């Protein structure tokens, strides 16, 4: 299996195809729920994991800030409507 190092944008250089995809991507404000790509990603993650919803936080720092500064995430429900186990 080939390993891809995604630690930082300084290590991952976009290819011409990646640049083209970025330039042609549908965009919107994800804060207002208007980014179709983020919306699809969150819906796909929730469905695959068996939860009602998912929240995309692109960095560990964002996740830590979200959790640690008074923005508790509502415990998602797993299959059968039972609360999901804590992380």
């Amino acid at each position: 299996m080939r390993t891809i190092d995604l630690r930082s944008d300084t290590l991952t250089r976009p290819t011409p195809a990646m640049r083209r995809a970025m330039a042609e991507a549908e965009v919107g404000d994800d804060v207002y729920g208007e980014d179709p790509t983020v919306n699809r990603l969150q819906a796909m993650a929730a469905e695959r994991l068996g939860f009602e919803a998912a929240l995309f936080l692109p960095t560990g720092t964002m996740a830590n800030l979200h959790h640690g500064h008074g923005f508790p995430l509502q415990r998602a429900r797993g299959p059968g409507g039972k609360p999901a186990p804590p992380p």
Side-chain angles (χ1 to χ4, degrees):
M1 178 185 293
R2 187 174 142 214
T3 301
I4 299 172
D5 190 343
L6 299 175
R7 288 179 291 168
S8 162
D9 60 355
T10 60
L11 296 174
T12 305
R13 302 291 182 181
T15 64
M18 292 166 73
R19 289 182 188 276
R20 191 169 40 259
M22 289 185 279
E24 295 172 1
E26 292 180 72
V27 296
D29 192 321
D30 63 303
V31 173
Y32 292 101
E34 299 169 347
D35 188 313
T37 305
V38 172
N39 293 342
R40 285 192 303 271
L41 174 65
Q42 292 176 156
M44 180 186 68
E47 181 181 340
R48 287 186 180 187
L49 296 171
F51 294 117
E52 292 177 24
L55 177 63
F56 175 62
L57 298 169
T59 69
T61 300
M62 290 179 98
N64 291 337
L65 289 171
H66 192 309
H67 180 69
H69 284 95
F71 302 104
L73 298 174
Q74 181 178 353
R75 183 85 77 81
R77 302 266 174 196
K82 296 182 180 180

